[in-house]
Amino acid sequence: MALRPDEFYDHALAAADGERRLPLARMTGWDISPFERDGLRVAPLRPPVLPESSRHGEDPSSCEACRDRGDGIWFNDGWRLTRITGVGVPLVLMLYPREHYDMADLPDELAAELGVLSTHIVRHVQALPHISRAHVYRIGDGGAHLHIWFFARPEGQTQLRGSWMPVWDDLLPEYPADVAEADAAIVADALVASLGGRRSAAGESRHG
């Protein structure tokens, strides 16, 4: 059984200093870290807050992902793919189920589709010129509607490898939108060719 919230907090505090600051993460010493260790310090560890605040979209009637189910660059009956704007890396895509599901309550049929679809998206992103890798992330602390992130790592920029890449993305200047839009269209067209679906929300018979 996992530690209770108070037990977890006490366990973590045992490693902290008098200001409740934990030591710097080992990750800050990696050569891919965007930060130098000198001058960094960890924020004080705050005690647990219970109950936790609700995530956005816990009530489907106020869910933005449901409201925007017609927005995207690729669709099929179960899923839609969008391009996230204003990012620093070459391309960031987000995949949503068309219906209001989180990962834990995703029906098995859609769960199976998610695996195949994610593989195809990664394959097509990595086929883009000057892209070395497609990173895939699912967090879920901010929104109740399942959303899967796909980050394209630029070729040769090895400092952006690994788990620091979303931080680097936030630090980098905005990538040229016209280039990202064109690459997103290539991925979407490749999905239509490899897996079916369509480039618009037309024909969404499963929604009212």
Side-chain angles (χ1 to χ4, degrees):
M1 181 184 297
L3 297 176
R4 297 191 313 267
D6 59 316
E7 292 175 330
F8 181 90
Y9 183 62
D10 290 343
H11 170 74
L13 278 185
D17 64 16
E19 295 183 325
R20 294 179 285 117
R21 299 180 192 275
L22 292 163
L24 286 176
R26 292 182 294 276
M27 294 170 61
T28 58
W30 295 354
D31 64 357
I32 58 174
S33 172
F35 307 110
E36 296 179 348
R37 292 177 68 92
D38 291 346
L40 279 181
R41 64 176 185 172
V42 179
L45 186 65
R46 294 190 291 265
V49 176
L50 297 171
E52 294 188 7
S53 58
S54 297
R55 299 175 298 170
H56 176 78
E58 295 283 7
D59 179 357
S61 67
S62 64
C63 176
E64 291 182 3
C66 289
R67 182 198 66 198
D68 298 336
R69 60 166 49 108
D71 295 342
I73 61 171
W74 175 89
F75 302 82
N76 69 10
D77 288 344
W79 301 91
R80 68 183 176 99
L81 185 68
T82 66
R83 180 176 76 86
I84 304 301
T85 60
V87 300
V89 297
L91 188 62
V92 177
L93 303 175
M94 186 172 286
L95 181 67
Y96 302 88
R98 303 290 298 279
E99 301 288 355
H100 189 79
Y101 294 114
D102 200 352
M103 181 165 273
D105 51 31
L106 202 63
D108 286 350
E109 178 184 358
L110 286 180
E113 290 179 5
L114 175 59
V116 174
L117 183 52
S118 296
T119 299
H120 280 249
I121 293 170
V122 167
R123 183 178 300 155
H124 300 321
V125 169
Q126 292 184 173
L128 292 168
H130 311 305
I131 299 300
S132 283
R133 208 80 62 222
H135 292 201
V136 184
Y137 304 93
R138 182 265 173 179
I139 312 293
D141 274 337
H145 193 123
L146 176 62
H147 49 291
I148 308 292
W149 298 83
F150 297 83
F151 279 69
R153 179 171 70 76
E155 182 181 23
Q157 205 66 47
T158 56
Q159 201 172 5
L160 274 62
R161 292 178 303 167
S163 49
W164 278 113
M165 193 164 78
V167 180
W168 278 110
D169 171 67
D170 200 43
L171 294 167
L172 290 164
E174 184 174 343
Y175 193 82
D178 57 337
V179 179
E181 186 175 3
D183 280 345
I186 291 171
V187 172
D189 288 339
L191 272 178
V192 172
S194 70
L195 207 58
R198 53 194 177 272
R199 294 283 270 112
S200 76
E204 49 176 273
S205 59
R206 295 174 60 175
H207 307 286

